[in-house]
Amino acid sequence: MAEEKDVLSDVPSGEIMDAKSRLILAGEQLFAKGGIHGASMREIATRAGQGNHAAVQYHFGSREGLVRAIFDYRMEQMEEARGMMLARAEKEGRLKDARTILEIILLPQLDLHDADGHHSYASFLSQYLLQSRSPEFGDFGGSEPPNLTRALRLLRERVDYLPPYVAQRRLISISLMFLNILVRHHGTDHADFGESFEVALEDTMEQIVMVMSMPLRLGPERR
């Protein structure tokens, strides 16, 4: 079995990671591998190189607190990219274009990979969304960073003809479509899939736009 890399392999050379950040990345990696309830707090502390096995409880209070911290950590990393994408779209008059809005929400996740090119956050988020029962549009369990919040508001306005619970269900579905291609395809050899990642991503994004934007076809009696 190949030896797993330390969580510090995710950090650019020259940067020092504090204990909380090490625990966040360790939790993300183990939750991604075994599910959000598949790793003990002791295992996470050990993976993060913490001698104190109660380190997770000390820093985050609970498993749920660590999950929220993972969201917050990764959301903050994507805020700058989303801000630049929003500014560019606004300048070009594309803030009502569904494809543009969905790219702002989804594409920054392409840069969240570890030293091996794996998308542990994508796997973690997939695990979370598969268990989510929230009917609230845009509820991903963490804080609400301004740029993501704005992009989600623009998307909701774009599909304002959909009932809120339908819009949320579709948002979960398209997120899982996008995360699936990251987990399965990104960084793999072209020959393994018969197509490049770029081609697969373009096809997936086209499907995502269609799924998110299509009108609700069921009549009231069938809802």
Side-chain angles (χ1 to χ4, degrees):
M1 179 180 294
E3 183 180 355
E4 291 185 338
K5 291 190 176 183
D6 187 86
V7 293
L8 281 176
S9 63
D10 289 350
V11 180
S13 177
E15 292 188 14
I16 303 233
M17 183 186 291
D18 61 23
K20 288 184 69 173
S21 298
R22 291 179 66 98
L23 288 165
I24 285 169
L25 287 182
E28 177 184 283
Q29 291 168 354
L30 290 177
F31 290 158
K33 184 177 181 180
I36 291 176
H37 296 284
S40 70
M41 300 299 95
R42 177 186 292 265
E43 288 173 316
I44 293 170
T46 299
R47 177 86 175 90
Q50 300 295 305
N52 179 5
H53 292 156
V56 173
Q57 289 87 341
Y58 175 78
H59 286 288
F60 307 105
S62 64
R63 182 183 302 269
E64 291 72 24
L66 176 57
V67 168
R68 287 193 298 271
I70 294 170
F71 278 119
D72 293 345
Y73 181 84
R74 292 304 197 182
M75 292 293 183
E76 181 61 30
Q77 288 184 324
M78 293 185 280
E79 268 293 274
E80 183 178 359
R82 287 191 173 118
M84 291 189 294
M85 295 172 78
L86 279 164
R88 184 167 59 249
E90 186 168 20
K91 182 178 179 180
E92 297 173 357
R94 293 187 289 111
L95 287 181
K96 293 185 179 181
D97 176 64
R99 171 69 182 255
T100 298
I101 301 168
L102 287 163
E103 286 180 352
I104 293 168
I105 294 170
L106 298 172
L107 293 189
Q109 295 177 83
L110 290 171
D111 295 327
L112 300 184
H113 51 76
D114 58 29
D116 294 322
H118 298 147
H119 288 270
S120 59
Y121 178 71
S123 297
F124 159 79
L125 184 54
S126 295
Q127 297 278 356
Y128 177 84
L129 292 178
L130 287 170
Q131 298 178 40
S132 174
R133 297 294 183 269
S134 175
E136 183 179 349
F137 183 78
D139 180 8
F140 287 99
S143 62
E144 300 179 353
N147 293 326
L148 176 60
T149 299
R150 184 184 181 195
L152 288 170
R153 185 175 67 250
L154 289 168
L155 180 60
R156 186 68 188 101
E157 291 170 358
R158 176 62 178 76
V159 294
D160 61 358
Y161 46 85
L162 297 175
Y165 57 88
V166 174
Q168 171 66 354
R169 171 167 53 77
R170 290 190 185 183
L171 180 61
I172 297 294
S173 296
I174 65 160
S175 296
L176 288 169
M177 289 172 66
F178 183 81
L179 295 169
N180 178 64
I181 195 173
L182 286 190
V183 173
R184 294 188 64 248
H185 201 319
H186 197 203
T188 59
D189 187 15
H190 183 135
D192 291 341
F193 284 86
E195 61 182 350
S196 68
F197 174 74
E198 291 72 21
V199 169
L201 177 62
E202 176 61 25
D203 179 60
T204 300
M205 287 303 300
E206 286 295 305
Q207 294 178 57
I208 282 172
V209 173
M210 180 175 63
V211 169
M212 191 71 223
S213 303
M214 66 185 298
L216 188 64
R217 296 180 178 275
L218 296 179
E221 69 282 358
R222 296 181 60 190
R223 293 179 189 174

